[in-house]
Amino acid sequence: MSAPQKSDRKALGRLSLPERNFVADALRTETVGGMLLLVAAIAAVVWANVPALSHSYETVLDVHLGPGALGLNLSLEHWAADGLLAIFFFVAGIELKRELVAGDLRDPKAAALPVVAAVCGMAAPALVYTLVNVVGDGSMDGWAVPTATDIAFALAVLAVIGTSLPGALRAFLLTLAVVDDLLAILIIAVFFTDDLNFAALGGAVLGLAVFWLLLRKNVRGWYVYVPLALVIWGLMYNSGIHATIAGVAMGLMLRCSRRDGEELSPGEHIEHLVRPLSAGFAVPLFALFSAGVVVSGGALGDVFRQPETLGVLLGLVVGKAVGIFGGTWLTARFTRASLSDELAWPDVFAVASLAGIGFTVSLLIGELAFSGDPLLTDEVKAAVLIGSLIAAVFSGVLLKIRNAKYRALWEAEERDEDLDGVPDIYEVGDPAYHLRMAAIHERKAAEHRRLAEVAGGEGGEGERPA
């Protein structure tokens, strides 16, 4: 007796209705945040390069605030990188938890595609950086810089070029970024941890245990959790582990599965409240304090000559595109998953190229990797900016070529002729939907007949003799 054949699955097929609604809401906020991020990055570059303003930029970055007795007398630049980005990683932790319990990552078969694509999309840039620096005899410290994708910046590019990507590709990009963020967090925790202060680390772990216990006991009130979160963050910072790890740890503890009678789980509710703060304030302010690199003809030339900066640039532009596309193709090839009939492999390559925009986390890792060399840190930041710009332009051209096809798919997904708030494409098999549509068509036909009769009556009266 022959073995049963595995049924084909559609990779990047249509989303379920709940997942479609969640993705649409999340990406709407990220798109607005991405536009603010873009404005903040441009403002930082202008501020740092206008002769009359550049000195003030350095002065502002070096302003120190916070209680020195608690080890938290930090510059504004450090507050942005260690404090504000903790909010960003808190949201990333909630996103990851939701994906694991209710999203694509819950199903191992569905999770294989974005997970393998994300892993390959981080391994390939690291490999490109390593090869460039082996050949050029450069520093290996920056291997992790080009591994991260900035979802907000990527969506801002989509908003600027006016491309209406279908839901499946947008969801793929979002899920890819969630897994990407998780791997970036692990890289930061493992490779960029200073000498550990075990007393502070123990206090942070104890604080996280209290945080988890309060959640399990259904204790409510921001006035309980916000002060506790600040204490945990402060202890984590003093422990030597990057403070953003505290944010993702607390995000992962929130419950993201819905119980009977709940429209939103606590995690989804908190994410809905905090995401605008992260996308609209924390990340743009971090960009303002981190993206201000001096750009001159010599500095731009150095980006293409130094192995460290060239490795970062090629890692983002080439490594990301090849890694994500290759991982997606291999997954489809060896899991017998076929690409959705509505899409083509060039679409996947265009989105993979878009993922080469590695702004926020890449800048953060660049600061950590070359913290002992301020000049090289700025040059690596310049490489991140230039690489992200090239990736944005290249992917924008590829996406524009298929924009008419994307718009048709998007309009089909969004069409709601019966005006019940649910796209028609999700109701095709519902008898009630067909009854509603029949009633709508009958009303339209009756209205057309009435208008025709009125027009005919008026025409008849006009033909009577005086």
Side-chain angles (χ1 to χ4, degrees), residues 133-196:
N133 281 270
V134 166
V135 173
D137 195 25
S139 170
M140 295 297 174
D141 293 342
W143 65 270
V145 176
T147 59
T149 293
D150 194 305
I151 182 65
F153 223 137
L155 293 172
V157 170
L158 290 179
V160 170
I161 65 176
T163 297
S164 300
L165 277 186
L169 285 178
R170 287 180 177 264
F172 175 65
L173 187 60
L174 179 62
T175 307
L176 189 76
V178 170
V179 179
D180 193 291
D181 286 341
L182 169 64
L183 297 176
I185 290 162
L186 293 175
I187 287 173
I188 291 171
V190 173
F191 296 99
F192 298 103
T193 295
D194 299 327
D195 295 334
L196 289 177

Side-chain angles (χ1 to χ4, degrees), residues 214-460:
L214 292 174
L215 291 173
R216 298 288 78 76
K217 297 294 183 181
N218 292 319
V219 175
R220 298 178 181 272
W222 65 267
Y223 46 83
V224 174
Y225 291 101
V226 172
L228 178 59
L230 292 174
V231 171
I232 293 171
W233 176 88
L235 289 168
M236 190 69 75
Y237 177 84
N238 281 286
S239 73
I241 295 177
H242 201 268
T244 53
I245 304 301
V248 75
M250 288 183 277
L252 285 169
M253 290 182 180
L254 295 175
R255 177 170 63 83
C256 292
S257 57
R258 300 178 187 180
R259 294 174 179 170
D260 292 340
E262 287 185 339
E263 291 187 7
L264 294 174
S265 65
E268 291 172 314
H269 177 67
I270 293 173
E271 180 188 15
H272 184 72
L273 295 176
V274 179
R275 185 188 287 275
L277 176 64
S278 170
F281 175 75
V283 175
L285 200 56
F286 166 76
L288 182 64
F289 290 148
S290 297
V293 295
V294 177
V295 179
S296 64
L300 292 177
D302 287 342
V303 167
F304 295 91
R305 287 192 293 265
Q306 291 190 140
E308 294 87 354
T309 52
L310 184 59
V312 168
L313 190 150
L314 292 178
L316 289 171
V317 176
V318 179
K320 272 289 183 182
V322 172
I324 293 173
F325 179 82
T328 305
W329 185 85
L330 288 172
T331 304
R333 171 68 177 80
F334 291 105
T335 62
R336 295 190 179 182
S338 58
L339 193 65
S340 172
D341 296 334
E342 299 171 335
L343 301 174
W345 283 109
D347 300 322
V348 179
F349 186 77
V351 172
S353 302
L354 185 64
I357 302 174
F359 191 73
T360 306
V361 180
S362 290
L363 291 178
L364 174 63
I365 296 178
E367 291 180 355
L368 297 174
F370 299 105
S371 58
D373 189 340
L375 179 59
L376 187 54
T377 298
D378 283 347
E379 291 172 341
V380 166
K381 286 183 179 181
V384 170
L385 294 177
I386 295 171
S388 298
L389 178 61
I390 294 173
V393 172
F394 179 61
S395 60
V397 171
L398 296 179
L399 292 169
K400 269 295 187 182
I401 293 173
R402 293 269 290 172
N403 194 38
K405 177 67 173 178
Y406 296 148
R407 183 164 294 279
L409 292 175
W410 183 83
E411 289 175 351
E413 290 178 357
E414 297 296 317
R415 187 175 295 117
D416 182 19
E417 292 187 10
D418 59 348
L419 303 177
D420 65 344
V422 178
D424 297 338
I425 201 168
Y426 292 96
E427 301 180 290
V428 173
D430 183 5
Y433 165 73
H434 294 286
L435 291 175
R436 289 196 301 273
M437 291 305 300
I440 290 171
H441 291 153
E442 178 58 32
R443 286 199 301 271
K444 288 181 177 179
E447 181 66 15
H448 285 311
R449 288 195 297 270
R450 187 185 69 80
L451 293 174
E453 289 172 0
V454 170
E458 291 175 349

